[in-house]
Every structure is written in structure tokens, then in C-alpha cells.
Amino acid sequence: MLHLGTESGSRTSATTGTTAAATATAGTTEGTEGPGAPGTPPAPEPCDLVTVPARQGLEAVDILRRGADQEAVGPVLHDGACATLGFLVPPGTAQAWDVPGSACTQTDGRGLRLAAEPPVKGSGWLLPPADDTPVTDPVVLRAALDQAARLIEAADNCR
């Protein structure tokens, strides 16, 4: 499972595991003069990470991208080794996240830097971050994950 800092939130049927996502995506400030220094970009806001099984996450991405607001889905990280997708959401989401089958990880707030390169071997960006790409709205994500779970259940019952 993808982790970007300290854990928080609900863990119902999600599996646990640790990857180097936090280490690989957490930026360092070596060689910079600090926030606000001339020529130094502003520090990015921290974000939380909702991790779901890949099958449900891919369905949710499709639902979000087909919706009326196609910009509703932010960066999404795919961890092939754990078969999970991670949706970047606003900080504080982990405190109230309670969607069965998923986990929400709270970042430690040390200036998460999202690189265009895959952050961990075996993982990659399904939807890469961009300067103008917001994180996914947790209310919209919750609805998409619920709909995805219902679609998967219906498909599995047809077999």
C-alpha cells in the first residue's frame, strides 16, 4: 500500500504494507535558501493519500473522468507491487475518511514534492501531477468509489 507519512483514518478491509513512496516523493530542501527566498518556488501544500485496490480505483478514475467535471480527478499514483491506486486529496481528509476497503494516509506535512518521474520502483503516475492540477475532492472521490464498488459487485455477481 502507498504511504506518504504517518497513518491515520479508517482501515477496514484494506491491506497494509509499506513502500518507499514517502521517501521517494518527499522533497528535500538541500541547496535552497528556504521559502520565500529569491528564485525559490513556494513550498507545496501537504496532501493526504487515499489508497484503494487497483480494480476499484481504475473504475473510480473512469467514473470521475466521464463525469460532468472532468477536472475532478487530481494526480493518481499506481503501485503495481501492491496492486493499489493512490488518490491525492486535501490535507485533513484522513481525519474523517471512513470508506470501507480503502485507507487514507495523512502526510507528515514536510513539503511533499511530486515529481514527474515515478516515485518508487514498480509504481508510476496513472495521472501525473502538474502545476495547475488540484488534488481530488474527497466528497467526489467517495461517491466515485461507492459507484465503482457497486459496479464491481454487479459484474462479479453476473459470473
Side-chain angles (χ1 to χ4, degrees), residues 120-132:
V120 178
K121 185 177 179 178
S123 72
W125 290 109
L126 180 67
L127 298 174
D131 292 337
D132 60 344

Side-chain angles (χ1 to χ4, degrees), residues 44-103:
E45 292 292 318
C47 58
D48 289 354
L49 183 77
V50 171
T51 308
V52 299
R55 185 176 178 200
Q56 183 180 11
L58 290 169
E59 286 288 344
V61 168
D62 285 345
I63 290 164
L64 291 169
R65 295 195 72 176
R66 285 191 316 253
D69 182 11
Q70 294 179 357
E71 307 263 339
V73 62
V76 178
L77 186 63
H78 176 247
D79 184 341
C82 294
T84 59
L85 287 187
F87 293 82
L88 297 180
V89 294
T93 301
Q95 294 170 339
W97 190 259
D98 62 352
V99 176
S102 69

Side-chain angles (χ1 to χ4, degrees), residues 86-159:
F87 293 82
L88 297 180
V89 294
T93 301
Q95 294 170 339
W97 190 259
D98 62 352
V99 176
S102 69
C104 190
T105 305
Q106 181 179 17
T107 62
D108 58 15
R110 287 189 250 164
L112 180 68
R113 303 237 192 271
L114 301 173
E117 295 296 317
V120 178
K121 185 177 179 178
S123 72
W125 290 109
L126 180 67
L127 298 174
D131 292 337
D132 60 344
T133 304
V135 294
T136 303
D137 180 336
V139 173
V140 172
L141 178 58
R142 177 186 302 269
L145 290 172
D146 288 346
Q147 184 177 353
R150 289 190 305 272
L151 288 171
I152 290 168
E153 182 179 2
D156 287 349
N157 288 336
C158 290
R159 292 183 185 172

